Each structure stands twice: as C-alpha cells, then as structure tokens.
Amino acid sequence: MDVVILWNRMRLAGCLGVAMLLLAAVLFPPAAVCAQTRVLTLEDALAIAAEKNRDIEKARAYIAWAQGKYVEERAAAYPQLTASVSQGWDRDESQKIYSPMQTERTERRSAQIVLTQPLFTWGQVSAAIRAAKVGLQSADEQLRIYRQAAERDVSAAFYDVLLAREFRTLALHDLEQKKRHLEEARRRHQAGVATDYDVLAAEVSVENARPETIRTENQIRTARERLRFLLAIENGEVDVTGSLKADLVPHRSFEDAFALAREKRPDLADLRYRIGVARELVVLAGAQDKPRVDLKGSYGWNYLEQPTVYGDGPSWAVGVQLSYPFFDGFRTRGRVAQAESDLRRIRIDEARQIDAVALETREAVNAARVSEEIVRSLAGTVTQAERLLAMAEKGYELGVKTRLEVEDAQLNLRQAKGSLSRASRDYLVARVNLDWVTGTLGETKP
C-alpha cells in the first residue's frame, strides 16, 4: 500500500514539473530571450557609443551651455529695452508752506519704455564677446576629447570580448581533447595495454580542465557587461562578432607621432582656447575702473490727478551718460591680479600637458612596436605546436611516446594559441591607443 501511494505521489510531482516547464516555455520562449541580445560589429559599437555614451552626452550639454553663454555676452552690445507701468498715491504735508493745494493727495500713473545702448565701454563688451566665442571652440574640443576617449574604450572592450571568447574556445578544445585521451586510455585499459593509473590520470586531467571553461565563460560575461556599460545600453545584452586578426602595418616614429599629437590632440587645443579666454578676461577685468559712455532714452505717458485738477500727456527724454568709477577701493586691481594669475596657471597646465603627451606618445609607440614584434614572432609558433601535438599523439598510440610528452605538447599548443590571441588583441589596442595619443582617432584615414 505504501508503495502505491509513493508511486502516485511521484507521478503527480512529475506531472506538475512538466506543467511548470510548459508554462515557462510559453512565457519565456528561447527566441524571445535570444532576441534581447544585440550582436554588434566594431563599427556598430562605435556608432552606438557616439550616440549614447554618457560622457559624450555630457559634452553636448556643455556645448549648449557655451552657446547660451555666448548669446548672453553678445546681448551686452545690443540695445536694452525695458517697459514699465506704475500707479501710485502720495501726500506731503510739508508742501503747505508753498500752497494748501499741494498738500492734497496726488494720484500718479505712468507708462514708458526705456532704452539703454552702450556707446563706449573701454573694451568690456568686445572682450566678453570674444571670450564667449572662444569658449564655444573650447566646448567643441571637449566634445572631441570625450568622443575619442569613448572610441578608445569601446574598441578595447570590444577586443576584450573577442579575446575572452578565444580563451573560451581554447579551454573547450582542451577539455574535449582530454576527454578523447580518457576514452583512449579506457580502450587501452580494456585491451590490457594500459594500467589503472593511466585511466585515473586521464580522469584527473579532464576534471582539472573543467574549471578553466567556467572561468573563461565568466570572463566573456564580464567583458560583455563592460561593453554594454560603455554603450549605455540599459535593456538586453550585447555580443560581438569579429576577429582578432589584423594586418601588420608600419607605425609612426616618436618624432612624427609627437608632432602630430601637438597639432591634433583635442586636450591641447582646448588648453590653447582656454588661454585665449583667460587673455580676454584680463582685458575685461582691467576695464572695470575705466570710463564708459551710454545712450539713454525713454518715451511714455504720464497722468497726474489731485482732487480738483488733473493732467496727462506724453513724455520723453534722451541723453548721453558718462560714468567713470575712478576709485573703487582697488577692487579692479585685485580682479586683474586674479585674472593674470589664472592665465599663468593655464599656461603652466599647457606646458605640463605637453610633457605628459610626450610621455604618452613614447609609451604608445613602444607598445605598438613591441606588440607588432610579438605577433610576428608567434605567427609560426602555433603551426609548429599543432604539428608537435599531432606527432606526440601518434607516438602515444604507437607506444613510443609517454603521456607526459603528450600533455606537454597540449600545454605548448594551448599556450601558443593563447599567446597569439593576446598578442593580436594587444596589437589592435595598441594601434587604437596610438591613434588616440596622436589625436587622430576617429578621423578618416587617407
């Protein structure tokens, strides 16, 4: 009786499990899950980064701010028009010494338009406009900085995914090869030409190869997540398609690369524009205690009413005003000192950045040269390692090679392929980094 009850429970549990699997298949079909993964080429990834990268969006927002600043400063050169309307009442008992009528309550109404037009500002307005205009150019260079940095980072992340996939493939091939050796050891053991030790050693070798496949799978997920982060893709997953193979091309010398970097680097161009802004700010600060001339005018309508009399009519006024703050407690002198100090600091920053660019250029050129030499040296090593492994396996089957020699050949082949894949990735990244260092990344190659 207990056996029958247990059997019925197992059948019920099995039916429930099948039902759950069918429900999951309906709600989450494999096609829908796969549809969430976007497979990208390098060109696709760079196009998405140029559109959605957070740093690039921030740079575009700064350009909008700089454009608004330019409009703000340019407005100082245009006429300023102000409209005003007022109504009020007043009474002044002190006016009774002139006439009892003047002590009555008075109602006043007025409406007017006031015009102010700078005529001469000792260079304040023109300096502010020039500074804002140069600031716009500086904002454009900052956008170039973020675009090139995003392209550099996305390219490196893209190649990292390809490298992780190559390591995953090597790990799987190594595991499959060790499984074949295990089957061969079992067959030899059944034939009486191998011992239990050989079978056990092959089993241990298979189990030791499994963690590497798990580790490389996690490396692929991590690399893909980093690429998705750089692309600012919030929903779904990304994957890549491509190859680490690249044609070896001559790279620039240090002298040529450094000269190109001084001309093309957006951060150096940005510093040059900031120096131009600082010069204009010195002029602007020095003009604060200088004379200025403004044209002022107004036109409107006034209404005046007392208990027994009233009057209204148009009114206008026009004139030229000269203002000269000839002494402001040395405030202008302090502002000039601050502006000149800012100018000197930016020039120091430029000199320091040029030194940093020189170091980056030398390191990038050396990295490109070293990675190219490594790729060239490893080009034929993989073929030799494959031939060596084939010879070792054949010799092991014929009984003239030991298992240790076969494992050494496997290790040499895996290391050769892994080294070549990493060297190819390093070479591609080094080329991208060299273009970034010289400020030409993203430009159309002739």
Side-chain angles (χ1 to χ4, degrees):
M1 185 66 179
D2 295 338
V3 174
V4 173
I5 295 175
L6 179 60
W7 172 252
N8 291 332
R9 288 180 178 177
M10 292 175 63
R11 290 179 60 190
L12 178 60
C15 293
L16 290 176
V18 172
M20 294 297 293
L21 290 175
L22 291 175
L23 180 61
V26 172
L27 295 179
F28 307 102
V33 176
C34 296
Q36 297 292 330
T37 302
R38 301 178 60 179
V39 181
L40 307 173
T41 64
L42 179 58
E43 291 73 17
D44 296 335
L46 295 178
I48 295 174
E51 179 183 356
K52 294 186 176 182
N53 183 267
R54 306 297 188 192
D55 292 333
I56 294 178
E57 289 182 348
K58 182 179 177 181
R60 290 197 184 102
Y62 179 72
I63 288 180
W65 179 90
Q67 291 173 342
K69 187 65 176 178
Y70 174 71
V71 173
E72 175 190 358
E73 297 299 339
R74 188 183 59 182
Y78 293 155
Q80 309 295 310
L81 295 173
T82 305
S84 62
V85 178
S86 64
Q87 180 175 357
W89 299 265
D90 66 82
R91 182 171 181 173
D92 188 358
E93 291 290 341
S94 66
Q95 299 297 319
K96 64 184 178 181
I97 62 174
Y98 301 107
S99 170
M101 292 291 297
Q102 296 187 15
T103 62
E104 299 290 340
R105 190 191 68 172
T106 304
E107 180 180 354
R108 305 176 187 273
R109 304 174 192 171
S110 67
Q112 62 177 351
I113 296 178
V114 179
L115 166 69
T116 302
Q117 170 65 57
L119 299 179
F120 176 74
T121 62
W122 206 277
Q124 293 184 41
V125 174
S126 58
I129 293 176
R130 288 195 301 269
K133 188 174 182 179
V134 176
L136 273 175
Q137 297 172 311
S138 175
D140 291 336
E141 294 301 328
Q142 291 194 26
L143 178 59
R144 284 187 60 214
I145 291 174
Y146 287 118
R147 277 178 174 169
Q148 293 191 2
E151 183 167 344
R152 176 199 59 189
D153 296 341
V154 168
S155 298
F158 184 91
Y159 294 136
D160 286 341
V161 176
L162 293 179
L163 178 63
R165 185 175 294 164
E166 290 285 340
F167 286 161
R168 167 72 172 172
T169 301
L170 291 176
L172 290 176
H173 286 173
D174 183 59
L175 178 61
E176 293 299 324
Q177 195 170 43
K178 284 180 168 52
K179 288 181 178 179
R180 290 194 300 269
H181 289 168
L182 175 59
E183 295 298 326
E184 177 66 21
R186 288 172 176 171
R187 286 194 298 268
R188 291 167 62 88
H189 180 264
Q190 292 176 356
V193 295
T195 64
D196 293 338
Y197 176 83
D198 296 327
V199 176
L200 181 60
E203 291 176 349
V204 171
S205 180
V206 169
E207 295 303 322
N208 286 336
R210 294 187 189 277
E212 186 63 22
T213 62
I214 300 173
R215 188 179 298 110
T216 53
E217 183 66 29
N218 182 67
Q219 291 175 354
I220 293 177
R221 287 194 297 267
T222 302
R224 288 168 57 182
E225 279 298 307
R226 173 169 173 75
L227 179 61
R228 187 179 69 85
F229 168 77
L230 292 174
L231 299 180
I233 297 177
E234 298 179 357
N235 299 321
E237 297 182 356
V238 297
D239 203 352
V240 303
T241 177
S243 173
L244 290 175
K245 294 181 180 180
D247 297 331
L248 300 179
V249 297
H251 59 271
R252 296 183 176 91
S253 64
F254 167 75
E255 292 75 14
D256 295 339
F258 182 53
L260 190 61
R262 295 195 63 169
E263 177 187 356
K264 296 286 188 177
R265 280 284 289 253
D267 51 347
L268 294 180
D270 176 53
L271 284 170
R272 289 192 290 268
Y273 287 130
R274 288 171 56 192
I275 289 174
V277 172
R279 289 198 192 100
E280 300 299 338
L281 293 180
V282 171
V283 176
L284 184 62
Q288 297 298 315
D289 61 349
K290 301 300 187 296
R292 64 175 293 160
V293 180
D294 296 286
L295 172 66
K296 292 184 177 293
S298 65
Y299 180 81
W301 174 85
N302 290 330
Y303 174 84
L304 183 65
E305 178 183 351
Q306 288 185 340
T308 58
V309 294
Y310 72 90
D312 64 336
S315 65
W316 61 271
V318 65
V320 177
Q321 177 182 345
L322 169 67
S323 59
Y324 182 14
F326 59 91
F327 181 72
D328 58 1
F330 304 109
R331 182 182 292 109
T332 299
R333 181 181 298 180
R335 290 175 177 172
V336 171
Q338 295 175 48
E340 291 177 345
S341 175
D342 291 339
L343 176 58
R344 288 193 297 270
R345 285 189 299 165
I346 296 175
R347 284 175 172 166
I348 294 173
D349 289 341
E350 182 190 26
R352 182 176 59 184
Q353 186 63 20
I354 290 175
D355 294 339
V357 168
L359 179 59
E360 290 176 354
T361 304
R362 190 174 295 278
E363 291 176 348
V365 170
N366 291 338
R369 184 182 66 253
V370 170
S371 60
E372 179 184 349
E373 292 175 355
I374 292 176
V375 171
R376 291 184 186 277
S377 65
L378 293 174
T381 305
V382 173
T383 303
Q384 295 175 352
E386 290 175 342
R387 182 182 177 188
L388 181 63
L389 176 60
M391 295 172 61
E393 290 180 336
K394 188 64 175 178
Y396 181 72
E397 293 176 1
L398 298 176
V400 297
K401 293 290 184 180
T402 65
R403 179 169 182 79
L404 180 60
E405 292 175 313
V406 175
E407 291 182 350
D408 287 341
Q410 292 175 349
L411 178 61
N412 290 332
L413 178 59
R414 186 169 67 252
Q415 289 179 342
K417 288 184 175 180
S419 298
L420 180 59
S421 297
R422 180 171 294 279
S424 300
R425 177 264 178 196
D426 292 342
Y427 175 70
L428 292 171
V429 173
R431 282 174 46 178
V432 171
N433 189 60
L434 183 58
D435 288 341
W436 173 78
V437 166
T438 55
T440 59
L441 186 61
E443 296 184 357
T444 304
K445 302 294 187 299

